[in-house]
Amino acid sequence: MERLRQSEAYIPELSLVAETNTGKIVGHILLSKVGIVSENGTTTVLSVAPLSVLPEF
């Protein structure tokens, strides 16, 4: 994940955590830029990865 954070695809504002009422972090999601290449050119979209949630949640 460190390589992703050092890349141009990383968007800090889209690195999010989920927490309980008591402040316990129970999940994390990161959205990053990905280019989809076709015969019409390249389109930039968001990819959801990595995604993690504690099993009990």
Side-chain angles (χ1 to χ4, degrees):
M1 187 146 84
E2 189 60 33
R3 283 180 48 197
L4 182 57
R5 286 191 173 139
Q6 299 300 319
S7 75
E8 291 184 19
Y10 179 60
I11 306 168
E13 299 83 6
L14 296 180
S15 179
L16 308 168
V17 296
E19 55 184 81
T20 65
N21 299 6
T22 61
K24 178 181 178 180
I25 295 177
V26 297
H28 173 261
I29 187 169
L30 182 91
L31 288 88
S32 56
K33 294 183 272 186
V34 175
I36 297 179
V37 180
S38 72
E39 63 245 8
N40 298 322
T42 302
T43 302
T44 302
V45 298
L46 292 176
S47 170
V48 176
L51 167 69
S52 61
V53 179
L54 289 177
E56 60 267 28
F57 291 89

